[in-house]
Amino acid sequence: MNKITSSLFKMQDKKYRDFQAKLIPGKTADNMIGVRTPDLRAYAKELCNLKSDVTPSMIENFLSSVPHEYFDEYQLHSFIICEQKDFKTCIELTEKFLPFVDNWATCDQLSPKVFKKHHAELLPYIKRWLKSRHAFTVRFGLENLMQHFLDEDFNPEFLELAAATKIKKSAVPEENSQDYYVRMMVAWFFATALAKQWDAAVEYIKNHRLEPWTHNKAIQKATESYRITESKKKFLKGYKVALT
Protein backbone atom coordinates (compact mmCIF):
# COMPACT_ATOMS: atom_id res chain seq x y z
CA MET A 1 0.00 0.00 0.00
CA ASN A 2 1.36 3.41 -0.93
CA LYS A 3 1.98 6.08 1.70
CA ILE A 4 -0.95 8.28 0.62
CA THR A 5 -3.50 5.47 0.82
CA SER A 6 -2.01 4.40 4.14
CA SER A 7 -2.62 7.95 5.42
CA LEU A 8 -6.24 7.74 4.31
CA PHE A 9 -6.74 4.65 6.43
CA LYS A 10 -5.45 6.58 9.44
CA MET A 11 -8.39 8.98 8.91
CA GLN A 12 -10.92 6.16 8.54
CA ASP A 13 -14.39 6.44 10.07
CA LYS A 14 -16.06 3.05 9.62
CA LYS A 15 -19.53 4.24 10.54
CA TYR A 16 -19.25 6.99 7.93
CA ARG A 17 -17.96 4.41 5.42
CA ASP A 18 -20.97 2.17 5.96
CA PHE A 19 -23.35 5.12 5.64
CA GLN A 20 -21.67 6.40 2.49
CA ALA A 21 -21.64 2.96 0.87
CA LYS A 22 -25.43 3.18 0.70
CA LEU A 23 -25.32 6.45 -1.25
CA ILE A 24 -22.82 5.73 -4.03
CA PRO A 25 -24.01 3.19 -6.63
CA GLY A 26 -21.42 0.59 -7.46
CA LYS A 27 -19.50 1.15 -4.24
CA THR A 28 -19.50 -1.07 -1.17
CA ALA A 29 -17.82 -1.01 2.21
CA ASP A 30 -15.12 -3.20 0.66
CA ASN A 31 -13.97 -0.49 -1.75
CA MET A 32 -14.49 2.46 0.55
CA ILE A 33 -12.22 3.62 3.36
CA GLY A 34 -14.57 6.08 5.04
CA VAL A 35 -12.73 9.41 5.12
CA ARG A 36 -14.94 12.45 5.58
CA THR A 37 -14.91 15.06 2.84
CA PRO A 38 -13.44 17.93 4.94
CA ASP A 39 -10.55 15.66 5.89
CA LEU A 40 -9.96 14.69 2.26
CA ARG A 41 -9.95 18.36 1.21
CA ALA A 42 -7.54 19.27 3.99
CA TYR A 43 -5.22 16.40 3.08
CA ALA A 44 -5.28 17.42 -0.60
CA LYS A 45 -4.22 20.95 0.39
CA GLU A 46 -1.50 19.53 2.59
CA LEU A 47 -0.16 17.39 -0.24
CA CYS A 48 -0.27 20.19 -2.81
CA ASN A 49 1.44 22.62 -0.45
CA LEU A 50 4.11 20.00 0.31
CA LYS A 51 3.39 20.23 4.02
CA SER A 52 3.53 16.49 4.61
CA ASP A 53 6.28 13.89 4.40
CA VAL A 54 4.92 12.78 1.01
CA THR A 55 7.24 13.74 -1.83
CA PRO A 56 6.15 15.21 -5.19
CA SER A 57 7.11 11.95 -6.90
CA MET A 58 4.83 10.03 -4.52
CA ILE A 59 1.96 12.36 -5.41
CA GLU A 60 2.72 11.92 -9.10
CA ASN A 61 2.72 8.14 -8.68
CA PHE A 62 -0.59 8.30 -6.83
CA LEU A 63 -2.21 10.34 -9.60
CA SER A 64 -0.90 7.86 -12.16
CA SER A 65 -2.18 4.81 -10.31
CA VAL A 66 -5.64 4.73 -11.88
CA PRO A 67 -7.95 2.97 -11.68
CA HIS A 68 -7.81 3.33 -7.90
CA GLU A 69 -8.90 0.61 -5.54
CA TYR A 70 -10.85 2.81 -3.13
CA PHE A 71 -13.55 5.44 -3.60
CA ASP A 72 -11.71 7.74 -1.18
CA GLU A 73 -8.66 7.64 -3.44
CA TYR A 74 -10.82 8.90 -6.30
CA GLN A 75 -12.12 11.67 -4.08
CA LEU A 76 -8.64 12.69 -2.98
CA HIS A 77 -7.47 12.58 -6.60
CA SER A 78 -10.31 14.96 -7.49
CA PHE A 79 -9.45 17.38 -4.69
CA ILE A 80 -5.77 17.41 -5.64
CA ILE A 81 -6.77 18.45 -9.16
CA CYS A 82 -9.02 21.14 -7.70
CA GLU A 83 -6.01 22.60 -5.87
CA GLN A 84 -3.99 23.16 -9.06
CA LYS A 85 -3.35 26.85 -9.76
CA ASP A 86 -1.95 26.48 -13.27
CA PHE A 87 -4.68 26.02 -15.87
CA LYS A 88 -2.61 23.90 -18.26
CA THR A 89 -1.52 21.53 -15.50
CA CYS A 90 -5.07 21.32 -14.17
CA ILE A 91 -6.50 20.49 -17.60
CA GLU A 92 -3.87 17.84 -18.23
CA LEU A 93 -4.60 16.15 -14.90
CA THR A 94 -8.35 16.44 -15.47
CA GLU A 95 -8.21 14.87 -18.93
CA LYS A 96 -6.13 11.97 -17.65
CA PHE A 97 -8.52 11.41 -14.74
CA LEU A 98 -11.94 11.76 -16.38
CA PRO A 99 -11.99 8.34 -18.15
CA PHE A 100 -11.65 6.68 -14.74
CA VAL A 101 -14.38 8.64 -12.94
CA ASP A 102 -17.09 6.08 -12.27
CA ASN A 103 -19.57 7.72 -9.89
CA TRP A 104 -21.60 10.91 -9.50
CA ALA A 105 -19.91 12.02 -6.27
CA THR A 106 -16.39 12.12 -7.66
CA CYS A 107 -17.65 13.72 -10.87
CA ASP A 108 -19.49 16.48 -9.03
CA GLN A 109 -16.69 17.13 -6.54
CA LEU A 110 -14.24 17.72 -9.39
CA SER A 111 -14.61 21.48 -9.64
CA PRO A 112 -11.25 23.19 -10.21
CA LYS A 113 -11.15 26.79 -9.02
CA VAL A 114 -8.72 27.80 -11.75
CA PHE A 115 -11.40 27.21 -14.40
CA LYS A 116 -13.14 30.42 -13.31
CA LYS A 117 -10.29 32.53 -14.67
CA HIS A 118 -9.89 30.73 -17.99
CA HIS A 119 -13.30 30.55 -19.63
CA ALA A 120 -12.02 31.13 -23.17
CA GLU A 121 -9.51 28.28 -22.87
CA LEU A 122 -12.00 26.03 -21.05
CA LEU A 123 -14.85 26.17 -23.56
CA PRO A 124 -13.22 23.99 -26.29
CA TYR A 125 -12.59 21.28 -23.69
CA ILE A 126 -16.21 21.41 -22.55
CA LYS A 127 -17.41 21.00 -26.12
CA ARG A 128 -15.19 17.95 -26.51
CA TRP A 129 -16.30 16.45 -23.19
CA LEU A 130 -19.94 16.74 -24.25
CA LYS A 131 -19.19 14.48 -27.23
CA SER A 132 -17.58 11.75 -25.12
CA ARG A 133 -18.99 8.22 -24.97
CA HIS A 134 -18.13 8.13 -21.27
CA ALA A 135 -21.18 9.21 -19.29
CA PHE A 136 -19.37 10.90 -16.41
CA THR A 137 -17.15 12.86 -18.79
CA VAL A 138 -20.33 14.14 -20.43
CA ARG A 139 -21.83 14.96 -17.03
CA PHE A 140 -18.64 16.82 -16.10
CA GLY A 141 -18.84 18.84 -19.31
CA LEU A 142 -22.46 19.77 -18.62
CA GLU A 143 -21.65 20.72 -15.05
CA ASN A 144 -18.87 23.05 -16.17
CA LEU A 145 -21.07 24.59 -18.85
CA MET A 146 -23.63 25.27 -16.12
CA GLN A 147 -21.13 26.63 -13.59
CA HIS A 148 -19.17 28.89 -15.89
CA PHE A 149 -21.31 29.91 -18.84
CA LEU A 150 -24.74 30.94 -17.58
CA ASP A 151 -23.70 34.35 -16.26
CA GLU A 152 -21.69 37.14 -17.88
CA ASP A 153 -20.20 34.82 -20.51
CA PHE A 154 -23.58 33.40 -21.50
CA ASN A 155 -24.35 32.73 -25.15
CA PRO A 156 -27.64 31.15 -26.33
CA GLU A 157 -25.60 28.53 -28.19
CA PHE A 158 -24.75 26.97 -24.83
CA LEU A 159 -28.38 26.01 -24.33
CA GLU A 160 -28.27 24.25 -27.67
CA LEU A 161 -25.08 22.43 -26.67
CA ALA A 162 -26.77 21.08 -23.54
CA ALA A 163 -30.02 20.18 -25.31
CA ALA A 164 -28.14 18.33 -28.04
CA THR A 165 -26.05 16.24 -25.64
CA LYS A 166 -26.24 12.62 -26.69
CA ILE A 167 -25.54 9.47 -24.70
CA LYS A 168 -26.99 5.97 -24.93
CA LYS A 169 -30.58 6.41 -23.78
CA SER A 170 -33.43 4.24 -22.62
CA ALA A 171 -37.10 5.22 -22.83
CA VAL A 172 -37.21 5.94 -19.11
CA PRO A 173 -33.79 6.06 -17.42
CA GLU A 174 -33.42 3.78 -14.45
CA GLU A 175 -32.27 5.53 -11.33
CA ASN A 176 -28.48 5.37 -10.94
CA SER A 177 -27.83 4.24 -14.53
CA GLN A 178 -25.22 6.19 -16.48
CA ASP A 179 -28.03 7.40 -18.71
CA TYR A 180 -29.81 8.72 -15.63
CA TYR A 181 -26.83 10.76 -14.46
CA VAL A 182 -26.35 12.49 -17.80
CA ARG A 183 -30.01 13.29 -18.30
CA MET A 184 -30.36 14.51 -14.73
CA MET A 185 -27.48 16.91 -15.32
CA VAL A 186 -29.17 18.21 -18.48
CA ALA A 187 -32.27 18.85 -16.36
CA TRP A 188 -30.16 20.56 -13.68
CA PHE A 189 -28.50 22.68 -16.35
CA PHE A 190 -31.84 23.91 -17.72
CA ALA A 191 -33.30 24.51 -14.27
CA THR A 192 -30.29 26.73 -13.55
CA ALA A 193 -30.59 28.39 -16.95
CA LEU A 194 -34.24 29.18 -16.20
CA ALA A 195 -33.09 30.94 -13.03
CA LYS A 196 -30.29 32.88 -14.70
CA GLN A 197 -31.30 33.26 -18.36
CA TRP A 198 -35.09 32.94 -18.30
CA ASP A 199 -35.96 34.50 -21.65
CA ALA A 200 -33.64 32.23 -23.63
CA ALA A 201 -34.10 29.06 -21.58
CA VAL A 202 -37.88 29.12 -21.31
CA GLU A 203 -38.14 28.72 -25.09
CA TYR A 204 -36.75 25.20 -24.70
CA ILE A 205 -39.61 24.42 -22.32
CA LYS A 206 -42.33 26.14 -24.34
CA ASN A 207 -41.22 24.41 -27.53
CA HIS A 208 -40.55 21.03 -25.89
CA ARG A 209 -36.96 20.97 -27.10
CA LEU A 210 -35.91 18.42 -24.45
CA GLU A 211 -36.99 14.81 -24.44
CA PRO A 212 -40.01 14.27 -22.13
CA TRP A 213 -38.30 12.80 -19.07
CA THR A 214 -35.61 15.49 -19.00
CA HIS A 215 -38.19 18.18 -19.79
CA ASN A 216 -40.24 17.23 -16.73
CA LYS A 217 -37.16 16.94 -14.49
CA ALA A 218 -35.99 20.40 -15.53
CA ILE A 219 -39.40 21.80 -14.61
CA GLN A 220 -39.38 19.92 -11.30
CA LYS A 221 -35.94 21.19 -10.33
CA ALA A 222 -36.79 24.74 -11.44
CA THR A 223 -39.99 24.79 -9.38
CA GLU A 224 -38.00 23.65 -6.35
CA SER A 225 -35.60 26.59 -6.74
CA TYR A 226 -35.81 29.68 -4.55
CA ARG A 227 -34.31 31.67 -7.44
CA ILE A 228 -37.45 31.40 -9.58
CA THR A 229 -40.58 33.42 -8.81
CA GLU A 230 -43.88 31.80 -7.91
CA SER A 231 -45.53 33.13 -11.08
CA LYS A 232 -42.81 31.57 -13.23
CA LYS A 233 -43.10 28.29 -11.32
CA LYS A 234 -46.84 28.24 -12.01
CA PHE A 235 -46.15 28.91 -15.69
CA LEU A 236 -43.63 26.07 -15.89
CA LYS A 237 -45.91 23.56 -14.22
CA GLY A 238 -48.38 24.11 -17.03
CA TYR A 239 -45.85 22.65 -19.45
CA LYS A 240 -45.34 19.29 -17.76
CA VAL A 241 -45.99 16.39 -20.12
CA ALA A 242 -47.33 12.89 -19.61
CA LEU A 243 -44.71 10.14 -19.89
CA THR A 244 -45.62 7.06 -21.86
Side-chain angles (χ1 to χ4, degrees):
M1 182 181 296
N2 65 68
K3 195 165 189 176
I4 291 175
T5 303
S6 178
S7 294
L8 293 178
F9 271 97
K10 292 177 182 178
M11 294 180 266
Q12 184 181 51
D13 181 332
K14 291 185 178 180
K15 288 185 178 179
Y16 179 69
R17 177 200 64 189
D18 295 342
F19 167 75
Q20 203 173 31
K22 300 174 184 177
L23 303 178
I24 313 297
K27 303 298 179 183
T28 67
D30 291 334
N31 51 34
M32 288 182 140
I33 298 172
V35 184
R36 293 180 178 272
T37 298
D39 294 332
L40 286 169
R41 289 187 186 276
Y43 188 43
K45 284 181 179 290
E46 183 180 317
L47 291 172
C48 291
N49 292 328
L50 301 178
K51 292 184 177 180
S52 71
D53 57 355
V54 175
T55 66
S57 63
M58 290 178 183
I59 298 171
E60 185 176 343
N61 288 338
F62 171 77
L63 296 176
S64 299
S65 64
V66 284
H68 295 299
E69 182 176 356
Y70 297 103
F71 167 76
D72 311 70
E73 293 175 304
Y74 282 99
Q75 293 292 87
L76 179 64
H77 193 142
S78 175
F79 294 140
I80 290 173
I81 292 175
C82 290
E83 288 296 314
Q84 302 304 309
K85 294 178 174 59
D86 177 72
F87 178 77
K88 183 178 179 181
T89 300
C90 188
I91 278 289
E92 289 176 354
L93 291 174
T94 298
E95 293 241 278
K96 290 177 181 178
F97 184 49
L98 280 175
F100 299 96
V101 174
D102 62 357
N103 68 88
W104 66 266
T106 301
C107 181
D108 293 359
Q109 295 277 25
L110 182 58
S111 184
K113 298 175 184 177
V114 73
F115 283 4
K116 296 178 181 179
K117 299 179 181 179
H118 295 272
H119 284 183
E121 300 99 316
L122 178 63
L123 187 58
Y125 289 98
I126 290 176
K127 290 180 177 180
R128 189 166 77 237
W129 295 332
L130 294 179
K131 295 178 181 177
S132 174
R133 294 184 178 181
H134 178 235
F136 288 108
T137 297
V138 176
R139 181 179 172 98
F140 181 72
L142 286 165
E143 184 175 4
N144 277 274
L145 194 65
M146 178 181 71
Q147 288 182 353
H148 299 290
F149 293 94
L150 288 178
D151 294 300
E152 59 270 13
D153 288 337
F154 173 72
N155 187 309
E157 75 171 71
F158 302 148
L159 299 175
E160 190 62 33
L161 283 175
T165 299
K166 301 292 183 183
I167 198 75
K168 185 178 179 181
K169 295 180 178 180
S170 56
V172 178
E174 295 182 3
E175 188 172 359
N176 298 332
S177 68
Q178 292 199 351
D179 180 18
Y180 171 87
Y181 288 118
V182 171
R183 293 165 81 177
M184 184 61 83
M185 184 56 75
V186 174
W188 187 4
F189 174 91
F190 273 94
T192 305
L194 286 165
K196 293 186 173 186
Q197 301 291 342
W198 172 267
D199 290 343
V202 76
E203 294 300 317
Y204 283 76
I205 302 299
K206 289 164 63 177
N207 296 314
H208 300 278
R209 292 289 311 282
L210 308 177
E211 54 87 25
W213 187 91
T214 307
H215 172 95
N216 282 354
K217 281 294 179 182
I219 291 173
Q220 177 189 327
K221 294 179 80 67
T223 55
E224 292 171 352
S225 173
Y226 67 89
R227 296 181 293 182
I228 293 178
T229 66
E230 291 303 318
S231 61
K232 287 180 178 178
K233 290 179 182 181
K234 184 177 180 179
F235 176 85
L236 291 171
K237 288 177 182 178
Y239 278 90
K240 292 198 75 172
V241 298
L243 299 179
T244 58

